[in-house]
Amino acid sequence: MTTALSTTDPGPAPAGAGLPDWGQAAAKARAAVPDEAVDACWRALNYLSAAQLYLADNPRLARPLRHEDLKPQPRGHWGVCPPVNYLLAHLGPLICHRPDGSELLVLHGAGHAGPSALAHAYLNQNLPLTGGDAWSMADLRALIASFPDARRFGSEITPLIPGIRHTGGQLGPALAVAQGMALDAPHRLVVPLIGDGELETGATAAAWLARRALVGAGEHGAVLPVVLANGLRMGGPSLLAGLTGEEIAAYFTGLGYRPLVADGHDLPTFRRLLGEAFTMLRPLGEAGPQPVVVLTMPKGHTGPEHVAGRRIAGTPAVHKTPLANPLENDAEFAALADWLASYRPAELLTAQGRPADLVRQALPGPARKLSAAQPAVRLGTGPRRSWADVSAVLRARAERPGFRLFSPDEIVSNRLRLDLDGSIPDWAVEILNEEVCHAWLQGYTETGRDALLATYEAFAPVNTSLLVQHLKHRNLRYAAGHANLPSVNYLITSLGWRNTYTHQNPGLASAMLELEDPSVHIYTPADATRAAAVLAAMLASRDRVNFLITDKHGGVNFPPGPFRDELTRGAAIWPHLAFGRGRPDLVLASAGDVPARQLAEAARNLRRIRAATTIRYLHINDLTVLGPAGIWPAALTRQAFTNLFGIDCPVLLAVPTFPGAVRALLAARGEADRFHVVGYRDPGRPVSTDRLLEHAGLSAPALSARATRLIEEHSK
């Protein structure tokens, strides 16, 4: 994989007028920090990464290695650490000498470089482990001996490690997340570290081309992708490893990038290469080639090459612990002793556990502290306000900075009118890729701005895995004390009730409810006016994951009187559709606009044919209020639940989603028996909208008939 420095372009492009002068900053960093310091920092990171895998004591090899110094069973990932460490060592001086008012963010893609992230956090005084000075022999011993500490940090990269930015457990979105971070932030440079295995994912493959959708979409910062072309995936060679140097250059050139390829064996040359890349940088939204750095350093570089005639380097053995059992294998023990000693750790770490002066010259220093958490905005607590429609809400929010709408080529199809002349404004970006839209949203919100992803109901489930990993990532951020993030907001429209057979899949709501994550809210307003008010509240909220399900075709608007309770409590009785006196014989409950229109008509039919019956009607604005309070923060109290649904009467509940997820919410509350939930059922073939409603039991006549049967059965 070793190639010469390769550039196939006619020369460096001038820096964009809106960008800081990153080329000058790189030159300043090279002049201020000697190559020896960068090399020492790299060796220190490599040593601490390997030591965490194997050592229980003797943290700086102050004496020859003994068997009692080793952990009983080495665990963790080694292979990706050396190339990651190489970049971190080179970027440290630039972070220190960045232009005034600028920001440089390093974004980790794959999470396997956990030892590297912990080592970097320790060297930069971000990781006090014993409660005292962040640099001490006690802390150094704790760093090495406690790995992998699953309760505190774990063995992989997570937001629990201070100063770390990571995309979460999903493989592939790092480049698009970095683009989202750089949007509307001209002062910011984001450097995503992308493994060559990640290049095989659809998210990464699409993100190279997706940059073109951002041209002319505002004033942005820069993204410098770094591909860690280490030659291996977990179990074998990566596809990129099969390309020659010329093919790699042609591949990235064809994508619209200027590839700078090097194997890192010559540190001064690589520093100059980085300087050239920084000089080439353009704003993300500017047309023309952008630089990409391709580091072809072998996976597990600087580790053992052979042990007892067995080849280690260049094989899948380097992915985790190259030496599986040095405690009982004498050849492996000797190889480990030589490996760790090759970094000369006593030169890099003092007897007090501090990095040596030479190492410290290349370190960026402690990470900037994040702001303290603020209380989340509650839905409906603001002043009363009337919104014309969802589009008006979006236009109003876009009048203030820090907002983006992302959509997979569906803004017009979803009947969103973002500009009064019908055009698409620059704060809205379309690309026909759900994953990239979510990654842009993730990068944008993770850097403190509001965003919305608008998409078809049928295509939203494509992002299920991304959302699951994003929620896990956010929960770890909250656990580390980093709350007050803008909410993740999805507008789900073009519903399957009015769409072709292949476009019928309300499964995302079910998947999100099954997570039982307390930050999730599934909003099902009854009409377009209510949907607009819910969207406004969603965009003002923090630390939530909001899904708004609304029919793009609109329809009747119901009386607004109960909506205040719907918004603040999640559900409310609709007096205009209730009739009779005393305890209800039947409760009709709707969630979503399509079910509300059908069930409201059914209620009016019942009033005509069963006037002597007592019917209560209510609407549910947030499906999570149906679940138990121990899981869902918005859940109805026991008394509120009884006030709405009664005690022993049957309940006919019409929902726009699969009914199973709603039944599960009620079952967790112990209320499943008397609830009859009607929702989407796959028709098995293309049918009309009316036939689909009839097939699912959600047409007004079907609901009327079902309600009549329930009343008769209950009266027996």
Side-chain angles (χ1 to χ4, degrees), residues 239-502:
L239 296 181
L240 194 70
L243 302 183
T244 65
E246 291 74 17
E247 288 173 328
I248 289 175
Y251 172 71
F252 286 107
T253 300
L255 290 170
Y257 287 79
R258 288 187 166 102
L260 302 170
V261 185
D263 60 11
H265 76 281
D266 183 273
L267 190 145
T269 298
F270 190 76
R271 293 191 79 186
R272 290 193 295 273
L273 177 146
L274 278 181
E276 185 177 354
F278 290 126
T279 301
M280 291 179 179
L281 285 173
R282 297 175 182 266
L284 185 61
E286 185 175 307
Q290 295 271 20
V292 56
V293 174
V294 183
L295 178 63
T296 61
M297 179 178 288
K299 194 168 190 175
H301 185 54
T302 72
E305 297 278 337
H306 299 83
V307 176
R310 176 170 61 94
R311 181 166 179 80
I312 301 293
T315 74
V318 301
H319 181 68
K320 291 187 175 180
T321 50
L323 306 174
N325 191 13
L327 195 59
E328 298 181 6
N329 185 308
D330 290 343
E332 288 192 354
F333 179 85
L336 177 63
D338 290 343
W339 175 18
L340 295 177
S342 69
Y343 300 115
R344 307 189 300 279
E347 299 177 8
L348 308 173
L349 301 161
T350 70
Q352 292 75 40
R354 303 166 65 86
D357 290 342
L358 191 62
V359 174
R360 292 171 63 181
Q361 290 183 54
L363 295 174
R368 179 171 57 88
K369 301 295 183 183
L370 299 178
S371 59
Q374 301 294 324
V377 175
R378 291 184 60 82
L379 289 180
T381 57
R384 288 182 179 271
R385 189 168 186 178
S386 175
W387 296 104
D389 57 22
V390 164
S391 297
V393 172
L394 296 177
R395 292 195 299 268
R397 176 59 187 88
E399 291 175 358
R400 295 178 285 115
F403 175 69
R404 282 274 164 185
L405 170 68
F406 304 113
S407 181
D409 193 31
E410 290 152 8
I411 290 174
V412 173
S413 177
N414 282 328
R415 301 196 174 189
L416 296 177
R417 189 176 176 86
L418 304 185
D419 205 318
L420 295 180
D421 66 2
S423 62
I424 305 298
D426 61 7
W427 48 268
V429 183
E430 292 181 306
I431 178 176
L432 199 55
N433 187 289
E434 304 280 341
E435 292 176 287
V436 169
C437 284
H438 178 88
W440 282 346
L441 177 145
Q442 179 172 341
Y444 204 76
T445 56
E446 291 279 310
T447 46
R449 287 84 56 79
D450 297 322
L452 175 72
L453 196 160
T455 185
Y456 275 38
E457 180 183 62
F459 305 148
V462 169
N463 284 347
T464 300
S465 180
L466 275 169
L467 279 160
V468 171
Q469 294 295 343
H470 193 177
L471 262 67
K472 290 177 178 290
H473 173 77
R474 281 191 162 219
N475 287 336
L476 291 177
R477 286 197 62 166
Y478 302 150
H482 303 153
N484 195 33
L485 285 175
S487 294
V488 175
N489 296 309
Y490 269 56
L491 172 61
I492 298 176
T493 184
S494 289
L495 305 184
W497 298 107
R498 293 181 179 271
N499 229 319
T500 184
Y501 174 62
T502 58

Side-chain angles (χ1 to χ4, degrees), residues 171 200 239 294 366 546 633 666 683 715:
L171 189 66
E200 299 174 21
L239 296 181
V294 183
N546 300 313
L666 295 163
S715 64

Side-chain angles (χ1 to χ4, degrees), residues 23 49 72 207 218 255 264 275 300 337 350 382 392 406 410 495 605 608 616 642 675 698 715:
S49 297
L255 290 170
T350 70
F406 304 113
E410 290 152 8
L495 305 184
N605 291 338
R608 288 193 298 269
R616 179 182 296 165
T642 299
F675 279 77
L698 259 175
S715 64

Side-chain angles (χ1 to χ4, degrees), residues 488-547:
V488 175
N489 296 309
Y490 269 56
L491 172 61
I492 298 176
T493 184
S494 289
L495 305 184
W497 298 107
R498 293 181 179 271
N499 229 319
T500 184
Y501 174 62
T502 58
H503 288 22
Q504 297 169 9
N505 180 9
L508 183 61
S510 299
M512 294 299 102
L513 289 172
E514 288 174 357
L515 293 176
E516 296 188 338
D517 188 300
S519 68
V520 167
H521 293 263
I522 309 292
Y523 293 111
T524 51
D527 54 40
T529 300
R530 285 167 160 83
V534 168
L535 178 59
M538 284 167 46
L539 294 175
S541 69
R542 289 292 182 269
D543 297 332
R544 292 187 175 192
V545 182
N546 300 313
F547 301 90

Side-chain angles (χ1 to χ4, degrees), residues 128-321:
L129 294 167
T130 62
D133 190 343
W135 284 337
S136 71
M137 183 50 66
D139 282 272
L140 181 62
R141 184 173 283 108
L143 167 71
I144 290 174
S146 64
F147 183 89
D149 180 358
R151 288 185 58 85
R152 187 162 189 185
F153 297 116
S155 65
E156 299 196 3
I157 297 178
T158 74
L160 294 173
I161 303 173
I164 289 296
R165 290 189 178 269
H166 180 227
T167 59
Q170 187 78 10
L171 189 66
L175 178 56
V177 171
Q179 292 166 345
M181 289 178 164
L183 284 174
D184 303 324
H187 67 290
R188 182 175 297 146
L189 168 60
V190 188
V191 182
L193 306 182
I194 307 167
D196 51 2
E198 290 179 84
L199 264 66
E200 299 174 21
T201 66
T204 302
W208 300 111
L209 190 63
R211 176 175 66 88
R212 297 174 182 268
L214 303 174
V215 173
E219 296 184 3
H220 310 309
V223 174
L224 176 60
V226 176
V227 175
L228 306 177
N230 55 50
L232 292 170
R233 296 190 300 253
M234 182 184 298
S238 67
L239 296 181
L240 194 70
L243 302 183
T244 65
E246 291 74 17
E247 288 173 328
I248 289 175
Y251 172 71
F252 286 107
T253 300
L255 290 170
Y257 287 79
R258 288 187 166 102
L260 302 170
V261 185
D263 60 11
H265 76 281
D266 183 273
L267 190 145
T269 298
F270 190 76
R271 293 191 79 186
R272 290 193 295 273
L273 177 146
L274 278 181
E276 185 177 354
F278 290 126
T279 301
M280 291 179 179
L281 285 173
R282 297 175 182 266
L284 185 61
E286 185 175 307
Q290 295 271 20
V292 56
V293 174
V294 183
L295 178 63
T296 61
M297 179 178 288
K299 194 168 190 175
H301 185 54
T302 72
E305 297 278 337
H306 299 83
V307 176
R310 176 170 61 94
R311 181 166 179 80
I312 301 293
T315 74
V318 301
H319 181 68
K320 291 187 175 180
T321 50

